[in-house]
Amino acid sequence: MSSSSSSKKLHVYGGKASFMTWRLHDVLYVAKHHWIPCVFAMGLLFFGSVEFTLGMVPSSSPPFDVGFDTTRSLHLLLASKPKLNTFLAGFNTVFVGMQITYILWTWLVEGRPRATISALFMSTCRGILGYSTQLPLPQGFLGSGADFPVGNVSFFLFFSGHVAGCAIASLDMRRMQRWEMAWTFDALNVLQALRLLGTRGHYTIDLAVGVGAGFLFDSLAGKYEESKRSKAPTPNGTKEAFFL
């Protein structure tokens, strides 16, 4: 930054740096009306101290996962009851089918392609990231032929497509004010995440990023739609395949 631009900024603040103009009532105002950034600021300080004082997990040891610790009793239950594990895996596969059906329905039947575009973005990005860093299968993984993808085939761990797809569907339901469906999907998504942790089918970070990916790619799909709204029908009178 040039000295002239710096002097202009100082001139705006009366010749003082911004923080030198702060008063107690300014701080109290921020704490009251912008408490969310304040909470995150405290989180920055807390986890900064944790990060610099916590011992690293040795390369010879399995990863530490707080979700695995939390669901240890569920893991032991499912390990001791294979039929229950298979039943829950089958139920989860049905739930994934519900997600896919809803996302395709919004495009093919309702003519609203945003959720489908979002799912396409998400799936491709997940494939790239999952292939780029292939995480080791968690110790104690409880597989099932009834789980999705069906047949105990291999899958990418990072990030969870189960959770991301559900988040995409739920966000679309909220846009359409289908509140009961959205809350139902959210509740099933939480149960799905607990089962995935209990079976060691995903690390906790896979699930957390899956939720974030759902929001991110839904937003990107919305921006993509906005960029195409001004596009008129093609000269021969047909419309683009996504916009029926």
Side-chain angles (χ1 to χ4, degrees):
M1 184 182 293
S2 65
S3 58
S4 60
S5 60
S6 297
S7 61
K8 288 179 180 178
K9 286 185 177 295
L10 288 175
H11 179 71
V12 172
Y13 296 112
K16 296 181 180 180
S18 176
F19 75 93
M20 296 180 67
T21 64
W22 297 352
R23 298 292 182 267
L24 178 59
H25 69 274
D26 297 320
V27 176
L28 295 176
Y29 178 87
V30 169
K32 180 178 180 180
H33 296 280
H34 300 285
W35 60 271
I36 293 179
C38 291
V39 170
F40 279 98
M42 290 187 289
L44 170 65
L45 297 175
F46 173 75
F47 285 107
S49 65
V50 170
E51 180 178 4
F52 295 134
T53 57
L54 192 66
M56 300 290 287
V57 177
S59 58
S60 58
S61 300
F64 169 76
D65 192 297
V66 67
F68 288 3
D69 277 5
T70 304
T71 59
R72 182 178 287 112
S73 58
L74 176 60
H75 176 74
L76 295 175
L77 173 66
L78 295 177
S80 65
K81 298 184 180 298
K83 290 184 178 180
L84 176 61
N85 182 44
T86 299
F87 171 78
L88 294 178
F91 183 79
N92 191 78
T93 297
V94 172
F95 180 47
V96 174
M98 291 165 57
Q99 299 172 29
I100 296 172
T101 299
Y102 178 84
I103 289 172
L104 290 176
W105 178 279
T106 61
W107 170 38
L108 297 176
V109 178
E110 299 180 358
R112 298 184 300 103
R114 178 167 172 172
T116 303
I117 296 172
S118 177
L120 292 175
F121 287 175
M122 178 274 291
S123 299
T124 300
C125 181
R126 177 176 178 269
I128 294 171
L129 294 177
Y131 181 81
S132 299
T133 301
Q134 298 174 38
L135 300 173
L137 195 65
Q139 294 183 4
F141 170 62
L142 302 175
S144 170
D147 207 352
F148 185 89
V150 178
N152 260 336
V153 299
S154 60
F155 58 95
F156 290 133
L157 282 165
F158 188 84
F159 46 85
S160 172
H162 292 71
V163 172
C166 184
I168 289 170
S170 175
L171 288 169
D172 185 87
M173 293 169 184
R174 281 175 163 73
R175 271 193 302 274
M176 301 304 294
Q177 298 185 354
R178 296 166 176 166
W179 306 112
E180 292 81 4
M181 290 181 65
W183 284 113
T184 299
F185 262 56
D186 289 343
L188 291 174
N189 205 11
V190 171
L191 295 176
Q192 171 180 241
L194 289 174
R195 189 197 73 89
L196 289 169
L197 288 172
T199 60
R200 306 302 188 250
H202 272 297
Y203 294 105
T204 301
I205 194 171
D206 304 330
L207 305 176
V209 174
V211 175
F215 279 84
L216 171 63
F217 291 110
D218 177 76
S219 175
L220 292 178
K223 293 182 184 300
Y224 176 82
E225 276 194 329
E226 290 175 9
S227 71
K228 297 295 182 181
R229 290 211 186 277
S230 60
K231 198 165 188 177
T234 55
N236 62 5
T238 60
K239 294 181 179 180
E240 293 188 16
F242 268 120
F243 299 95
L244 302 178

